[in-house]
Amino acid sequence: MYTFVQKFHSGWAYLALLLLVFAVVNSFLGKTSKKEFTAKDRKIALFGLIATHIQLVVGLILYFVSPLGSASIGQMAESDVRLTWLEHPLINILAIVLITIGWSKHKKAATSEAKFNSIFIFYGLGLLLILSRIPWKLWF
């Protein structure tokens, strides 16, 4: 089970990042061109939200079923272990909270500009946090 969850988490990350980047770029273009917020824009943001939440759930499952989990507790001096077992989950949870706030704020916004703005700011911050804590050595 561990191997499947690990592979799924790694593979799904590409899709989640792609959808998140697409949502940020779409909201930036919508904001700068002052276009109307449509159902297509809402779906793009929603798919980014769903993909990141699925990634979070799979990541939490991976965190607790990993054979390295309990062995890594207290080994914070080694940067790779600290990244994998503390910084990566903590910062990514914070990023997904920001993305969720952006989704909620866009639903309450009255104008298209405000909708695009909340998605751009909160999804963009979430994307930056996620990119800052990806274990890049494991990706390539």
Side-chain angles (χ1 to χ4, degrees), residues 14-66:
Y14 291 104
L15 179 63
L17 279 174
L18 181 69
L19 289 170
L20 195 55
V21 166
F22 190 52
V24 170
V25 169
N26 181 64
S27 63
F28 177 75
L29 294 175
K31 176 183 156 171
T32 56
S33 66
K34 300 191 186 314
K35 71 174 198 157
E36 194 66 31
F37 191 87
T38 63
K40 178 191 76 124
D41 301 312
R42 183 182 123 339
K43 287 177 186 173
I44 291 170
L46 179 61
F47 291 151
L49 176 82
I50 291 170
T52 55
H53 278 82
I54 290 171
Q55 183 71 354
L56 172 65
V57 170
V58 173
L60 288 173
I61 292 169
L62 179 63
Y63 189 82
F64 291 108
V65 301
S66 173

Side-chain angles (χ1 to χ4, degrees), residues 51-113:
T52 55
H53 278 82
I54 290 171
Q55 183 71 354
L56 172 65
V57 170
V58 173
L60 288 173
I61 292 169
L62 179 63
Y63 189 82
F64 291 108
V65 301
S66 173
L68 302 173
S70 59
S72 298
I73 294 174
Q75 296 181 11
M76 296 300 136
E78 192 174 327
S79 65
D80 288 341
V81 174
R82 186 178 60 244
L83 173 67
T84 306
W85 297 105
L86 177 67
E87 295 171 1
H88 178 74
L90 185 65
I91 297 299
N92 286 339
I93 288 170
L94 179 61
I96 293 171
V97 166
L98 286 172
I99 291 166
T100 305
I101 291 170
W103 174 258
S104 296
K105 286 181 76 65
H106 115 274
K107 290 193 307 186
K108 295 175 185 171
T111 66
S112 291
E113 183 181 358

